[in-house]
Amino acid sequence: MASRKILVTGGAGFIGANFVRYTLQERDDWQIVNLDALTYAGNLLNLKDIPVDQQKRHHFVHGDIRDKKLLADLFSRHNFNGVIHFAAESHVDRSITGPMAFVDTNVGGTCELLRAGLAHWQKRKEDAAFRFHHVSTDEVYGSLGEEGSFSEDSPYDPSSPYSASKAASDHFVRAYHRTYGLPVVITNCSNNYGPYQFPEKLIPLMILNVVELQPLPVYGQGKNVRDWLYVLDHCQALLRVFEQGEPGQTYNIGGGQESANIDIVRKICAMVDNRLGRAPGTSEELITFVKDRPGHDFRYAINAAKISRELNWQPAYTFDSALRNTVDWYLNNMEWVKAIRTGEYRNWLELNYKQR
Ligand code: NAD
Ligand code: DAU
């Protein structure tokens, strides 16, 4: 495997940080330049446990993907062999109350990165392995009924400002391939869960509310279904696509583990009650059905046959055991949770992290 230097954007967020750690470990001669604006969702504590011997291959840059000058500077200083683009506003509920941030970063920021990436690649077309990898979502396909699943050929039909912004960015990425030949790959994945997820998303929010005996807000009747993907399975799939994916192609990535929200919340209640030695059934009483999310997609399910067939990838984790790992991770990392709750994580850059 040739050594590489790659630009990762959004590598202080949930999936990005898991990917940075995973890749430094799996590819021991790769260098990662990690560009992240450290929004509310970006947290350098997510990268704190990179082993010391790997830290010298990780270079954090505090900056914004919308900053043209910074991008030009980074691409001129580093001979990147590829870009893996995670940086985004990622939370559907926030997109409903404040859509413009999603347009700015997810559409505008992606376009700035494409422009800089294209200029870089045009000077070094001899690098056949160069890829611009856009990390996207199954939400671009809209909602399913009780049956069926999303394939790479499913039509785009986004419901929320978040998914509309990701759909727009996918279209720009594809357009850069068709128009300029930029060797792009796009992955559209289902709902991730696992360590370091910001506690606004369903699974970590419910775990922490159960721990703290707070109400568990379930939207509508809790019957909406998601296809759950453990973040480490996702990281493995991303690296596979980045290294072996065909330029211009899209790959859907899913966990193959569908579950209704209410069933997940009940599982979390049982797992946390068990871990904390509470009587069975204690936390279920906290379940509170609340007003539904506007435009709430009913069901997502991924047909992952293409990545399985072409790149020989299948998820390795099962939902119940990986959910248990996740519950344990939050219970064992209450300092991380506390730093988020108090806002202390925002000072981590100044206090503890030297820019290299
Ligand atoms: P996240 O919200 O946890 O992290 C996003 C990261 O991007 C943060 O570190 C943030 O600081 C950074 N960022 C935001 N705006 C930026 C900007 N303008 N410039 C530079 N950095 C910026 O998100 P996540 O859940 O890790 O998702 C990562 C990617 O995967 C996103 O593109 C998201 O759309 C996609 N995705 C997520 C899921 C999921 O279940 N979480 C599923 C499918 C696709
Ligand atoms: O499908 C991939 C997408 O999954 C990603 O592209 C998004 O970045 C990611 O945020 C996630 O979107 P969802 O809207 O599916 O995730 P969220 O965790 O917000 O909600 C999951 C389900 O749980 C959804 O049906 C809404 C419901 N929910 C969520 C919250 C936060 C509740 O019932 N109560 C809640 O408090």
Side-chain angles (χ1 to χ4, degrees), residues 24-46:
L24 288 171
Q25 189 182 310
E26 294 294 311
R27 299 287 177 266
D28 61 15
D29 54 356
W30 284 30
Q31 303 267 337
I32 295 181
V33 175
N34 180 353
L35 171 63
D36 196 298
L38 298 179
T39 67
Y40 81 93
N43 185 348
L44 285 172
L45 290 172
N46 296 355

Side-chain angles (χ1 to χ4, degrees), residues 90 137-139 162 191 201-202 217 219 226 261 293 296:
S90 70
T137 173
D138 60 357
E139 298 201 8
Y162 162 70
N191 286 63
K201 307 288 198 292
L202 180 75
Y219 298 164
R226 298 290 182 263
N261 296 335
R293 173 187 279 174
H296 196 176

Side-chain angles (χ1 to χ4, degrees), residues 133-134 136-141 144 149-156 170 174 185-190 192 227 229 233-234 237-238 241 249-256 300-311 313-315:
H133 183 159
H134 182 50
S136 191
T137 173
D138 60 357
E139 298 201 8
V140 298
Y141 301 123
L144 293 165
S149 57
F150 299 129
S151 78
E152 290 77 3
D153 297 324
S154 296
Y156 274 37
D170 285 5
R174 250 178 227 117
V185 283
I186 299 176
T187 48
N188 295 85
C189 74
S190 59
N192 282 225
D227 172 345
L229 172 64
D233 273 334
H234 187 199
L238 290 170
V241 172
Q249 289 294 307
T250 291
Y251 300 87
N252 282 357
I253 306 170
Y300 305 141
I302 289 273
N303 173 346
K306 179 175 174 180
I307 189 171
S308 165
R309 189 179 60 245
E310 295 186 8
L311 303 181
W313 176 86
Q314 292 87 25

Side-chain angles (χ1 to χ4, degrees), residues 81-298:
N81 305 106
V83 177
I84 307 194
H85 176 35
F86 294 92
E89 290 292 338
S90 70
H91 194 48
V92 173
D93 292 325
R94 287 180 191 258
S95 82
I96 295 169
T97 50
M100 287 317 290
F102 289 71
V103 178
D104 289 350
T105 283
N106 300 1
V107 188
T110 300
C111 288
E112 291 296 352
L113 195 63
L114 280 165
R115 215 155 58 142
L118 176 66
H120 174 82
W121 171 73
Q122 281 174 332
K123 286 182 224 136
R124 56 192 327 280
K125 282 191 182 168
E126 73 285 356
D127 181 2
F130 186 93
R131 294 289 180 277
F132 184 106
H133 183 159
H134 182 50
V135 179
S136 191
T137 173
D138 60 357
E139 298 201 8
V140 298
Y141 301 123
S143 184
L144 293 165
E146 300 283 354
E147 301 291 323
S149 57
F150 299 129
S151 78
E152 290 77 3
D153 297 324
S154 296
Y156 274 37
D157 187 20
S159 302
S160 69
Y162 162 70
S163 49
S165 71
K166 294 296 288 188
S169 61
D170 285 5
H171 291 321
F172 274 102
V173 172
R174 250 178 227 117
Y176 265 66
H177 176 68
R178 293 185 193 162
T179 307
Y180 308 110
L182 184 68
V184 309
V185 283
I186 299 176
T187 48
N188 295 85
C189 74
S190 59
N191 286 63
N192 282 225
Y193 65 104
Y196 300 101
Q197 187 166 31
F198 196 83
E200 63 187 351
K201 307 288 198 292
L202 180 75
I203 287 181
L205 177 79
M206 294 298 164
I207 294 172
L208 297 182
N209 282 15
V210 171
V211 170
E212 292 163 3
L213 294 169
Q214 294 295 316
L216 308 176
V218 174
Y219 298 164
Q221 296 182 305
K223 293 194 173 145
N224 301 62
V225 172
R226 298 290 182 263
D227 172 345
W228 293 93
L229 172 64
Y230 191 54
V231 68
L232 292 179
D233 273 334
H234 187 199
C235 291
Q236 187 191 46
L238 290 170
L239 196 51
R240 188 82 44 99
V241 172
F242 182 70
E243 291 184 316
Q244 298 175 29
E246 199 59 36
Q249 289 294 307
T250 291
Y251 300 87
N252 282 357
I253 306 170
Q257 326 233 9
E258 286 183 54
S259 192
N261 296 335
I262 187 66
D263 295 334
I264 294 186
V265 175
R266 290 209 171 102
K267 269 185 188 161
I268 290 172
C269 289
M271 284 178 188
V272 178
D273 282 349
N274 177 275
R275 286 287 191 267
L276 298 184
R278 292 180 187 153
T282 307
S283 303
E284 280 206 22
E285 294 186 10
L286 300 166
I287 293 175
T288 310
F289 292 96
V290 299
K291 195 161 169 282
D292 210 353
R293 173 187 279 174
H296 196 176
D297 288 332
F298 173 63

